[in-house]
Amino acid sequence: MKNATGPVRRRLAVVTMVRVVVMAGLAGLPIAPAWGLGILVPRPPETSPIRLGAAEVRVEIHNNVAKTRVLQEFENDNPRQLEADFMFPVPRGADVTDFVLYMNGKPVSGEVIERDKAREIYEGIVRRMKDPGLLEWVDYNLFKVRVFPVPARGRTKIELEFAQVVPADQGVYRYTFPLRGTRRVSAERPRDASAVKFGIEIKADEPIRNVYSPSHPVETDTANPKHVRVTVPEGKLSPVSDLVLFYEYSNKDVALSLLATRPGAGDGYFSLVLSPPVATDDAPQTASDVVFVLDTSGSMLDDNKIEQARKALVYCVSQLREADRFNIVRFSTGVELLHQGLQPATKAAVEEARRWIEGLKASGGTNISEALAKALALRSEAQDESRIFTVVFITDGLPTVGVTDPDRILTDVKAQSAGNVRVFTFGVGFDVNTRLLDRLADETRATADYIKPGEDLEAPIARFFDKISRPAMTGLKLEITHAQVYDLYPKALPDLFFGTQLIVLGRYKTAGPAAIKLTGTVGGKPAEFVYEKTFPETETGNAF
């Protein structure tokens, strides 16, 4: 069904994504929790609520025109069939392009009601339902359709699609799907976040870069830079805040986006999002020195972690290039090295390492301090400062042997890890000292990662190593002119890896145009990128 709302479509400068809320109930009874979907209000209102069942949101953005398709399933628990009104708020700048509902095999038509009349309908429902959350819809037009019959103890499926233009600021595009609605939560059958699936596809004629959500965790597939897929992991679509997704286009080796907020007369806040492209075979690479440090204490027997760790370590070693050098340190109560020094990653050396790894057994305590000390001592052989010295540290426990004070361990590591040393930490389970692992990574400009007890260990470690073993740019430094920036975080920038992002936060005093210079090393050679951005005098958005 096409909806003739041309004036709405023409307001391209005003783009507010749809505020859609799941609410159904009656006076004095719990209200269903809010979701980014329409509502089905029964007639008469004294009937028990019609609940939201499974739902899915599919978004396709092609050359900055977004089509959002919402598929909903409603469940009528009443013992008789009902008549109901389906209501969906249509935001300014959006146009309903399709609506699918069949009654007795025939399509049902709906209408779009202008905002002023829609406000009366909203307020009427609020008075009946005793829930002011619906008033968040008052700035929207209303799509309304009569639904009959809603089968007794049955389900009704509804599909609706709307389209609009995605707005941009300084080349950064912002897609928003409002999820906030009522602030009350149902006490009888609250809906699970996993009941709603959410996926976004972005298609363009040039590379899509810096895909970033400040509101929700997202998984991003950038294998095809002109067709990026974004999904919200199962159970992570929280209705507490609107879903916001930023993206931009860039052909530079490192893309940089500026987001800022300055709502009052004081200094502003800003974030920079930096991202390289996805790794390619012809991307410049720097030879590395890598030391794998594996926990083989007795607790690694739980959930077969030692077997998974062996497989993961075999994979990591197999991914080394012949120009790389490596060693392996295994630790429990004692510490043992595969070799006394760093070895070139030849085929023979990799095969020898595989056999050694497969013979590792789990027993004893957890001597973290000595394991890290022996791993970092190997750096004395790494005389070429252009080579990154990388330690991959995998553990599932707390230090129980040797130095057990985390602050002392951290102090000792810092004393041995100046310069091009990175200590990447990987914690397994809940018994690890996350503060220690996080600080080990932070102090050496690396990253930390964790998995929960019982989860597969082999695949996450392999993905982790794939990411860190191919740095796109190292030794990063930022210079920002004119804006008078301060309180930058992180102070020491970590390396930038293919297919990942780096977010830098800070404050600024002076608004206006500024040059941002990024310097570092790419493929062993100095590199410099310059970006021209504008820090806003006033900006009430981007409050996150």
Side-chain angles (χ1 to χ4, degrees):
M1 183 197 75
K2 296 293 182 183
N3 174 43
T5 55
V8 175
R9 179 183 295 169
R10 288 194 292 271
R11 290 197 290 270
L12 303 183
V14 182
V15 180
T16 306
M17 292 302 291
V18 66
R19 172 84 61 186
V20 281
V21 185
V22 172
M23 297 174 56
L26 60 135
L29 288 184
I31 302 300
W35 282 109
L37 305 161
I39 63 173
L40 199 57
V41 181
R43 300 180 182 180
E46 291 75 16
T47 307
S48 295
I50 300 175
R51 298 182 298 104
L52 173 69
E56 183 175 2
V57 180
R58 303 172 187 164
V59 184
E60 183 175 298
I61 303 174
H62 188 203
N63 289 336
N64 307 319
V65 175
K67 286 189 176 182
T68 302
R69 192 166 192 87
V70 181
L71 302 87
Q72 299 178 241
E73 187 175 87
F74 292 97
E75 300 176 0
N76 176 19
D77 293 333
N78 293 277
R80 62 187 179 87
Q81 69 179 20
L82 298 176
E83 180 181 8
D85 290 316
F86 174 71
M87 300 184 186
F88 192 96
V90 181
R92 295 185 301 273
D95 180 24
V96 175
T97 54
D98 192 23
F99 175 73
V100 180
L101 175 64
Y102 287 86
M103 293 295 174
N104 298 320
K106 296 181 180 180
V108 179
S109 299
E111 62 174 330
V112 173
I113 301 171
E114 294 296 327
R115 185 178 62 180
D116 291 341
K117 185 177 179 182
R119 182 191 300 266
E120 298 177 9
I121 296 174
Y122 297 147
E123 292 175 345
I125 299 174
V126 169
R127 286 192 294 270
R128 287 157 49 192
M129 290 184 168
K130 307 296 185 185
D131 194 311
L134 191 60
L135 290 177
E136 293 200 11
W137 287 10
V138 297
D139 289 331
Y140 299 95
N141 296 327
L142 175 67
F143 179 81
K144 181 181 178 182
V145 62
R146 175 176 172 268
V147 180
F148 179 84
V150 180
R153 304 195 188 283
R155 299 178 179 181
T156 298
K157 293 183 180 181
I158 295 177
E159 294 185 26
L160 183 140
E161 180 184 84
F162 58 92
Q164 61 200 119
V165 174
V166 182
D169 181 14
Q170 295 195 68
V172 180
Y173 292 84
R174 174 180 179 138
Y175 173 91
T176 306
F177 190 94
L179 290 165
R180 290 176 299 174
T182 65
R183 299 297 183 262
R184 298 165 63 181
V185 178
S186 172
E188 51 181 20
R189 290 185 65 182
R191 299 306 301 173
D192 192 327
S194 62
V196 182
K197 297 181 180 180
F198 203 108
I200 302 173
E201 292 191 29
I202 309 173
K203 301 177 182 179
D205 298 329
E206 53 187 316
I208 303 160
R209 306 286 291 278
N210 279 346
V211 181
Y212 165 66
S213 174
S215 61
H216 290 73
V218 295
E219 297 175 351
T220 306
D221 179 358
T222 57
N224 182 347
K226 295 183 180 181
H227 185 178
V228 174
R229 292 178 171 86
V230 181
T231 56
V232 179
E234 184 175 330
K236 299 298 183 180
L237 189 65
S238 167
V240 174
S241 62
D242 298 342
L243 187 143
V244 178
L245 188 77
F246 293 98
Y247 66 93
E248 68 169 273
Y249 306 111
S250 177
N251 285 306
K252 286 192 175 185
D253 289 341
V254 178
L256 181 144
S257 301
L258 168 68
L259 299 172
T261 185
R262 195 178 192 179
D267 295 346
Y269 299 79
F270 72 93
S271 71
L272 301 176
V273 182
L274 297 87
S275 67
V278 177
T280 58
D281 292 337
D282 58 353
Q285 297 289 337
T286 303
S288 299
D289 294 324
V290 184
V291 179
F292 302 96
V293 182
L294 177 64
D295 186 344
T296 58
S297 60
S299 58
M300 288 292 286
L301 289 171
D302 298 340
D303 298 320
N304 203 30
K305 285 182 286 190
I306 188 63
E307 174 64 24
Q308 294 182 54
R310 285 197 295 258
K311 291 180 179 178
L313 201 52
V314 167
Y315 171 83
C316 293
V317 171
S318 71
Q319 297 306 299
L320 296 171
R321 297 157 297 172
E322 291 202 0
D324 297 330
R325 296 185 298 182
F326 78 105
N327 203 341
I328 303 172
V329 178
R330 72 108 200 132
F331 71 97
S332 53
T333 302
V335 177
E336 181 183 4
L337 280 67
L338 171 60
H339 297 288
Q340 291 307 305
L342 296 173
Q343 297 293 313
T346 62
K347 291 182 179 180
V350 169
E351 176 60 24
E352 180 187 5
R354 182 189 64 78
R355 292 193 299 269
W356 191 77
I357 293 167
E358 290 177 350
L360 294 177
K361 306 295 183 183
S363 65
T366 309
N367 193 345
I368 289 177
S369 59
E370 186 180 352
L372 289 173
K374 290 198 173 183
L376 291 170
L378 294 170
R379 182 176 178 250
S380 61
E381 299 183 31
Q383 299 177 357
D384 185 352
E385 288 296 323
S386 67
R387 298 170 72 101
I388 298 295
F389 185 85
T390 300
V391 175
V392 180
F393 179 62
I394 305 167
T395 182
D396 77 331
L398 305 169
T400 61
V401 178
V403 178
T404 58
D405 177 18
D407 291 332
R408 171 72 183 280
I409 294 174
L410 184 65
T411 299
D412 292 344
V413 169
K414 288 172 64 176
Q416 291 182 275
S417 58
N420 281 352
V421 174
R422 307 289 186 265
V423 180
F424 292 91
T425 59
F426 197 95
V428 182
F430 293 144
D431 291 333
V432 295
N433 187 322
T434 56
R435 181 172 176 270
L436 172 61
L437 297 188
D438 286 344
R439 292 180 65 190
L440 284 172
D442 289 343
E443 293 289 348
T444 58
R445 292 183 289 174
T447 59
D449 204 350
Y450 301 91
I451 67 169
K452 297 177 182 178
E455 290 188 15
D456 176 67
L457 180 61
E458 179 183 354
I461 292 179
R463 288 195 301 267
F464 182 69
F465 184 71
D466 284 343
K467 179 183 75 173
I468 69 172
S469 63
R470 302 291 186 266
M473 190 174 187
T474 61
L476 277 66
K477 293 183 179 179
L478 276 173
E479 294 180 26
I480 304 176
T481 64
H482 306 305
Q484 292 185 276
V485 302
Y486 63 99
D487 282 354
L488 287 180
Y489 179 83
K491 292 182 180 180
L493 299 183
D495 298 332
L496 196 55
F497 299 96
F498 288 111
T500 65
Q501 293 178 330
L502 171 61
I503 299 175
V504 181
L505 306 175
R507 305 289 306 274
Y508 70 95
K509 294 179 179 291
T510 305
I516 302 175
K517 183 168 71 172
L518 174 68
T519 59
T521 301
V522 175
K525 299 179 180 179
E528 177 181 299
F529 304 96
V530 179
Y531 313 84
E532 295 181 357
K533 300 292 181 179
T534 299
F535 288 79
E537 181 70 43
T538 301
E539 173 59 67
T540 57
N542 303 327
F544 59 86

